[in-house]
Amino acid sequence: GEMLWKSALTLNEQKLKYGDGRAEIMDVGLFDHNGELTGMILKGKPFTLKMRVRFLAEVPAPIFAFTIKDSKGTELTGTNTLIEDCQVVTARAGEEYVISFRQSMSLQGGEYLLSLGCTGFEGGEFVVHDRLYDVANITVISNKNTVGVYDMNSRVSVEKEKRTAET
């Protein structure tokens, strides 16, 4: 078969997986600004996170999500297709979807953990079809770490004030 994207990632053996089994997250990949499959992303550069999900039963309005946590388990960032207004109406048994999240890497250099989910709402109730907690490591490479969790991409200039000559 074809090579899985996740073969390029450092997978976490301690990952937690659960869900009702109506969907399965088959694969996940990180693609750098050149479109190359990688586990390391350069800070400040665009990258794409892709997940492949197969449905084993019909699911109305599935939601696809990712979150990135730090080594202490704090959720730092993430989004989903509901927040981003990119909805699938109904997924049917046997269908596969590839979901691509494109963004710029604003996290500091360091090691992070990726979680993925396929969820939804049925009759007003939140349901989990498949969720992979801490499935893989993401390494962010940086030549300039600022202070704190994320970089505001500040541009700095220092100008010497012109002062009138002292009398």
Side-chain angles (χ1 to χ4, degrees), residues 34-75:
N34 295 318
E36 299 288 326
L37 193 55
T38 182
M40 293 186 288
I41 303 295
L42 290 170
K43 177 179 158 185
K45 294 281 191 185
F47 74 103
T48 303
L49 166 70
K50 291 186 184 183
M51 54 192 279
R52 185 188 301 276
V53 180
R54 178 185 295 158
F55 287 87
L56 295 100
E58 186 165 298
V59 172
I63 300 166
F64 306 99
F66 80 91
T67 52
I68 296 175
K69 292 190 235 177
D70 65 15
S71 55
K72 300 184 196 72
T74 305
E75 287 197 347

Side-chain angles (χ1 to χ4, degrees), residues 3 29 32 42 63 66 69 73 76 103 116 128 142 147 161:
M3 191 193 88
D32 68 13
L42 290 170
I63 300 166
F66 80 91
K69 292 190 235 177
L76 302 176
Q103 54 275 307
L116 304 169
V128 176
S142 173
V147 177
E161 288 284 74

